[in-house]
């Protein structure tokens, strides 16, 4: 087992934030940053940052800090962002449309190449080059195109059915937006997104302000 596989999920969940700030620093042409400066940006303590990065072999030098380009590149590799992924969306409603139409995912290496929905013929879908297809085509499409990631934006009641099609078709990662606990085999990577968790956290802090 490599050192990387033993890293806690809490640390893994902080990496995208480091990566995002490093991308911004690179865009501004900043080449070097100390853990203290990174701490001011990210809100994590400098020692936390050093500990997090030490999980992967360090990268920093005492008295110098971090080379932004190098750290950005290494974190990108650790997060698997140096690869290209093909994704499909199932459920072309409000959320499915928003996700399929957002160009930022493609820029980051996640190419949404198909959108599938029930009653697809009734749906207006205005994404250039991306027509909505019927669910009956999903399995073959995934196999024919070696799709890596299945996105679920159907209603809650149908999410497990969609997940089962993804699993049967050989998909390895599921990005699930439906508010349901999906049952998936161990070798499938499942990532749930809950915007309401973030909203409830906002509410907690608003309450602290006397709301
Ligand atoms: N994770 C979050 O933070 C978050 C935020 C908003 C909404 N949601 C959830 O995302 C999902 C979609 O929300 P929405 O507002 O886009 O809903 P919506 O009703 O606009 O869209 C759902 C779409 O899924 C399609 N669908 C339903 N069953 C299907 C099936 N078996 N196969 C294929 N397509 C099917 C419907 O025809 C519809 O087009 C819901 O489950 C909702 O609760 C999650």
């Amino acid at each position: 087992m490599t050192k990387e596989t033993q890293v806690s999920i809490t640390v893994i969940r902080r990496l995208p934030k480091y990566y995002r700030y490093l991308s911004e620093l690179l865009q501004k042409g900043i080449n070097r940053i100390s853990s203290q400066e990174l701490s001011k940006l990210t809100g994590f303590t400098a020692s936390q940052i050093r500990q997090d990065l030490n999980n992967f072999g360090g990268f920093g030098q005492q008295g110098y800090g971090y080379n932004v380009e190098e750290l950005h590149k290494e974190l990108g590799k650790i997060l698997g962002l140096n690869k290209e992924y093909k994704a499909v969306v199932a459920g072309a409603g409000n959320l499915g449309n928003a996700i399929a139409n957002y160009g930022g995912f493609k820029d980051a290496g996640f190419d949404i190449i198909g959108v599938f929905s029930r009653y697809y013929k009734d749906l207006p879908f205005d994404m250039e080059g991306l027509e909505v297809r019927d669910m009956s085509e999903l399995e073959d499409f995934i196999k024919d195109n070696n799709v890596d990631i299945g996105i679920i934006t159907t209603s809650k009641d149908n999410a497990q059915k969609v997940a089962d099609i993804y699993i049967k078709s050989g998909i390895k990662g599921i990005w699930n937006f439906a508010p349901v606990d999906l049952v998936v085999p161990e070798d499938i990577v499942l990532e749930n997104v809950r915007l309401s968790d973030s909203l409830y956290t906002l509410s907690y802090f608003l309450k602290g302000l006397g709301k």
Side-chain angles (χ1 to χ4, degrees):
M1 199 192 287
T2 63
K3 206 177 175 190
E4 213 175 287
T5 57
Q6 300 162 8
V7 178
S8 83
I9 187 69
T10 324
V11 175
I12 306 288
R13 293 214 182 273
R14 281 196 285 268
L15 298 183
K17 190 164 180 181
Y18 295 136
Y19 185 80
R20 187 158 45 82
Y21 278 103
L22 289 164
S23 303
E24 284 176 18
L25 291 169
L26 265 185
Q27 276 165 15
K28 288 180 189 157
I30 297 169
N31 297 320
R32 178 178 157 180
I33 189 157
S34 65
S35 44
Q36 284 81 8
E37 287 164 323
L38 209 47
S39 161
K40 278 189 208 136
L41 287 175
T42 59
F44 305 133
T45 65
S47 81
Q48 180 81 81
I49 293 168
R50 284 192 297 270
Q51 268 179 39
D52 284 354
L53 298 177
N54 273 341
N55 280 296
F56 304 95
F59 312 117
Q61 276 173 37
Q62 213 160 13
Y64 176 86
Y66 298 100
N67 178 303
V68 174
E69 192 176 352
E70 198 181 301
L71 184 57
H72 181 261
K73 196 170 147 203
E74 289 305 320
L75 286 185
K77 274 198 236 164
I78 290 164
L79 287 166
L81 298 176
N82 53 337
K83 299 182 180 164
E84 299 274 314
Y85 298 94
K86 287 187 209 160
V88 289
V89 172
N94 294 308
L95 198 55
N97 266 279
I99 289 172
N101 278 296
Y102 176 58
F105 296 136
K106 184 163 188 189
D107 296 344
F110 300 87
D111 194 5
I112 296 174
I113 59 169
V115 179
F116 294 81
S117 210
R118 221 169 38 165
Y119 317 127
Y120 74 109
K121 285 193 174 131
D122 298 334
L123 291 166
F125 201 81
D126 58 3
M127 179 148 185
E128 221 173 296
L130 212 53
E131 64 185 290
V132 181
R133 297 162 196 263
D134 186 67
M135 284 300 283
S136 59
E137 297 174 41
L138 181 58
E139 193 173 335
D140 283 345
F141 185 93
I142 291 170
K143 288 179 182 161
D144 292 347
N145 293 284
N146 291 319
V147 176
D148 307 290
I149 298 171
I151 301 171
I152 301 181
T153 50
T154 61
S155 52
K156 175 183 168 187
D157 296 345
N158 291 316
Q160 184 65 54
K161 263 186 253 167
V162 175
D164 292 343
I165 298 174
Y166 282 156
I167 294 161
K168 195 170 148 210
S169 314
I171 262 185
K172 288 283 168 251
I174 297 179
W175 200 24
N176 173 43
F177 287 81
V180 60
D181 292 323
L182 297 174
V183 179
V184 301
E186 267 185 17
D187 61 343
I188 300 287
V189 182
L190 170 66
E191 181 65 19
N192 294 300
V193 182
R194 305 272 184 264
L195 294 181
S196 47
D197 289 2
S198 173
L199 197 56
Y200 298 164
T201 309
L202 176 72
S203 161
Y204 173 84
F205 286 110
L206 281 175
K207 202 186 79 187
L209 292 178
K211 165 75 186 158

